[in-house]
Amino acid sequence: MELHDVWFVLIAVLWIGYFFLEGFDFGVGVLTKLLARNRPERRVLINTIGPVWDGNEVWLLSAGGATFAAFPEWYATLFSGFYLPLLLILACLIVRGVAFEYRAKRPEEHWQRNWENAIFWCSLLPAFLWGVAFGNIVRGVKLDENHEYVGNVLDLLNPYALVGGLVTLTLFTFHGAVFTALKTVGEIRERARKLALWVGLAAAVLALIFLLWTQVENGDGQSLVALVVAVAALVAALVANQAGREGWSFAFSGVTIVAAVAMLFLTLFPNVMPSSLNDEWSLTVTNASSSPYTLKIMTWCAVIATPVVMLYQGWTYWVFRKRIGTQHIAANAASGAKH
């Protein structure tokens, strides 16, 4: 296996890790409107991801940085062709981070309500847009002979990509619901489990349509295995959720995301960005990669840094592993007087 193949796999792993981790905190952000009934409950939901949401985004930064260094041609074409949707995602991530920090700085009703609305919308939109973006990458976009994107924003809003957006939105919301059930106690835990059932069923239908569509268009034997694993894991997550086994349900919903994203990368390889105009104009792991020396240096850096980052993030989740409920929210904290 050549180094550019290795880095394609590593970038796939980074995106899988990002969607597994950021997926549930996007889902929790969406649930601040769908599940929480009052301000203390919204505070409980925010507190479940408060210690970890920013660490989850490290995976996105790593994936973007690795793409820039290992496949500069892919990075340039992707970020120029998908400029507006990626800019919208970036703006949402910035506003969302500010909302987490600023929501409780003042006690006024309208102040907190506005930041809570920001958390909801800036969780929902990226959860949808990431599916649209990856749907277009797998389906192929209008690249010319110079590997430049010659389409427009409306070309990205095709049926396949829109279904992909609905899949990531519903799947992340389900992932967030089972995470909420795992991390909370009392009535909010029970309601999270009930909501997870209905959101999970919707995600199952949409995911089956999208993954079968992907398999028919671009799949092979390996992607078929990933499809079967994703569907089986989602069914297992729903069964575990109904049985009140939140830990198993969260684990299986995570496996669903891992298998589904892995399937997309399996159908994509050896391309990194197919051209819908001419197969010969597609970007591949060969023509989009950096020099072998650059990839070699990057590999040594990754070998040293990756275990440290993963150990630190794992330790963070271990420290903040306990369940919380409204009884753990002080009256002045729930009202927003202070953290």
Side-chain angles (χ1 to χ4, degrees):
M1 180 180 286
E2 300 290 338
L3 277 180
H4 51 67
D5 298 327
V6 172
W7 273 97
F8 178 87
V9 173
L10 291 176
I11 288 171
V13 170
L14 290 171
W15 279 110
I16 288 170
Y18 174 67
F19 287 137
F20 178 91
L21 296 171
E22 190 86 308
F24 72 74
D25 77 44
F26 280 149
V28 171
V30 173
L31 294 176
T32 57
K33 291 292 185 183
L34 300 184
L35 180 65
R37 293 177 175 174
N38 50 46
R39 182 140 293 122
E41 289 190 353
R42 281 190 286 276
R43 185 58 187 260
V44 168
L45 291 177
I46 292 171
N47 282 4
T48 63
I49 59 173
V52 298
W53 68 266
D54 48 355
N56 295 343
E57 292 186 356
V58 170
W59 291 78
L60 173 62
L61 298 175
S62 300
T67 304
F68 173 77
F71 299 101
E73 189 89 14
W74 183 14
Y75 182 93
T77 302
L78 177 64
F79 278 78
S80 60
F82 291 28
Y83 179 79
L84 288 178
L86 291 178
L87 179 62
L88 182 56
I89 290 173
L90 177 60
C92 284
L93 294 180
I94 293 172
V95 173
R96 185 169 176 266
V98 172
F100 283 133
E101 299 297 329
Y102 275 59
R103 173 193 170 276
K105 294 297 185 182
R106 291 170 54 179
E108 291 88 347
E109 174 84 16
H110 70 279
W111 172 271
Q112 294 185 27
R113 184 175 61 251
N114 289 339
W115 286 120
E116 288 165 0
N117 288 334
I119 291 172
F120 171 75
W121 287 108
C122 292
S123 299
L124 185 149
L125 286 174
F128 174 74
L129 289 173
W130 279 127
V132 173
F134 271 82
N136 277 291
I137 292 173
V138 173
R139 173 180 176 267
V141 292
K142 294 180 179 179
L143 300 184
D144 64 13
E145 64 275 16
N146 297 315
H147 300 151
E148 295 181 1
Y149 180 67
V150 293
N152 55 53
V153 174
L154 294 180
D155 291 329
L156 303 179
L157 302 178
N158 54 80
Y160 176 79
L162 292 176
V163 174
L166 293 175
V167 170
T168 51
L169 175 58
T170 54
L171 193 56
F172 290 171
T173 305
F174 172 69
H175 198 39
V178 295
F179 177 79
T180 300
L182 177 64
K183 287 288 293 178
T184 58
V185 295
E187 184 185 353
I188 193 169
R189 174 187 177 188
E190 297 302 318
R191 280 191 277 115
R193 284 174 51 201
K194 292 177 181 177
L195 182 60
L197 172 63
W198 298 108
V199 177
L201 289 173
V205 173
L206 290 167
L208 185 60
I209 293 171
F210 180 73
L211 296 180
L212 284 175
W213 193 344
T214 304
Q215 180 65 26
V216 170
E217 293 288 333
N218 302 298
D220 56 15
Q222 291 180 321
S223 62
L224 180 60
V225 172
L227 186 156
V228 172
V229 171
V231 173
L234 186 50
V235 172
L238 288 167
V239 172
N241 176 72
Q242 286 302 99
R245 304 297 297 271
E246 291 98 345
W248 282 108
S249 182
F250 179 73
F252 281 124
S253 68
V255 172
T256 301
I257 292 174
V258 169
V261 179
M263 178 186 176
L264 295 183
F265 277 95
L266 286 170
T267 59
L268 186 61
F269 186 81
N271 294 321
V272 294
M273 207 162 182
S275 172
S276 60
L277 300 179
N278 189 325
D279 289 341
E280 295 182 358
W281 298 344
S282 298
L283 283 170
T284 68
V285 293
T286 303
N287 64 25
S289 70
S290 294
S291 68
Y293 182 73
T294 300
L295 296 178
K296 183 177 180 180
I297 297 297
M298 288 175 59
T299 302
W300 281 109
C301 292
V303 167
I304 296 170
T306 302
V308 176
V309 173
M310 293 186 70
L311 285 171
Y312 174 76
Q313 191 164 23
W315 176 78
T316 302
Y317 276 92
W318 175 256
V319 169
F320 295 100
R321 67 189 181 277
K322 293 184 178 180
R323 295 177 183 266
I324 61 173
T326 53
Q327 68 270 29
H328 299 117
I329 305 298
N332 56 357
S335 65
K338 59 182 178 180
H339 287 290

